[in-house]
Amino acid sequence: MKITKNTTIGELIQKKPKAVELLLKRGLHCVGCHVAVHETIEQGALAHGLTKKEIDKLIEDVNKLK
């Protein structure tokens, strides 16, 4: 499954559990939040102050994970 900025955080964690560490390193502590099931990566990242460029880099890095 290719991860996009429209993938929910819940889907991301389910498909690529190793992504949790990347999210935490970038200040996205929403991985344990009940809203994460419905919130997209982009929504969460923007809410935590990441720029569009930082979000694109996060998505790129997440898709490199096995």
Side-chain angles (χ1 to χ4, degrees):
M1 170 185 181
K2 182 166 172 67
I3 303 300
T4 71
K5 64 183 179 182
N6 295 314
T7 302
T8 66
I9 296 169
E11 289 174 315
L12 170 61
I13 294 167
Q14 184 179 31
K15 300 294 180 187
K16 293 189 178 234
K18 292 180 181 179
V20 170
E21 188 175 333
L22 280 177
L23 295 175
L24 292 174
K25 283 182 179 178
R26 293 199 166 96
L28 299 174
H29 301 282
C30 48
V31 295
C33 176
H34 70 282
V35 178
V37 176
H38 305 290
E39 189 171 55
T40 66
I41 297 168
E42 181 178 46
Q43 290 169 329
L46 289 172
H48 287 281
L50 272 70
T51 65
K52 297 280 187 178
K53 187 175 180 178
E54 290 170 324
I55 295 168
D56 289 342
K57 177 65 174 147
L58 173 62
I59 299 299
E60 179 184 325
D61 291 346
V62 164
N63 278 302
K64 290 178 183 176
L65 294 173
K66 299 289 179 189

